[in-house]
Amino acid sequence: MVCLGNICRSPLAEGILRSLVDPETVEVDSAGTAGYHIGNRPDERSIAVARKYGLDISGQRCRKFHSADFASFDRIYAMDLANLRHLQGMARSEEELNKVRLLLDEAMVETREVPDPYYGGPGGFAEVFELISRACHAISEQMESKNSGK
Ligand code: 4NP
């Protein structure tokens, strides 16, 4: 799960998807394309909205996306088009390029991008949670049907 700062959107995506999949078989992580907040906890507003839904994301620490992540992960989800393009630009092969997708392309929602809530109020974080949650449910359902051979 990749956004710009790895403190608002992608920590929520990591926390939500992790809560929906089997930790024995699926590894979920997040990172940012920028390095402004490396080592920091998620934004307090993300921690708060996650807590409202019973998820504790306060133990996450910000890191920057690096090229080795292309080998470590099968799917790399970008929160918006700017981050999608950044990741596509870092890909060194067709295989790496094909791993990169827009998160909301997995969900039946009206927008393709998760808006950046950093400079807005707490309402933005509730909207972001809802959008990310829809996509994460769709992803976990895809994984379940793949595993059950459907
Ligand atoms: P995120 O939000 O990409 O969802 O983590 C942002 C966090 C920090 C900044 C921008 C966006 N920033 O400019 O520091």
Side-chain angles (χ1 to χ4, degrees), residues 122-138:
F125 284 75
E127 181 199 352
V128 158
F129 187 98
E130 173 67 23
L131 288 169
I132 292 174
S133 179
R134 294 237 217 137
C136 288
H137 278 86

Side-chain angles (χ1 to χ4, degrees), residues 6 22 33 40 42 54-55 67 70 83 85 93 96-97 101 107 124 126 128 135 139 147-148:
N6 191 213
D22 175 4
T33 54
N40 292 355
L55 300 175
S67 306
F70 282 113
N83 286 297
R85 292 191 185 115
S93 66
E96 290 187 356
L97 197 58
R101 301 170 193 192
V128 158
I139 292 166
N147 287 343
S148 67

Side-chain angles (χ1 to χ4, degrees), residues 3-11 36-37 83 116-119:
C3 62
L4 180 65
N6 191 213
I7 55 167
C8 298
R9 292 165 292 178
S10 58
Y36 316 128
H37 301 280
N83 286 297
D116 182 348
Y118 187 61
Y119 293 106

Side-chain angles (χ1 to χ4, degrees), residues 88-104:
Q88 287 170 335
M90 287 177 75
R92 292 154 302 186
S93 66
E94 210 48 37
E95 191 191 351
E96 290 187 356
L97 197 58
N98 288 336
K99 292 183 175 187
V100 182
R101 301 170 193 192
L102 264 186
L103 178 70
L104 294 189

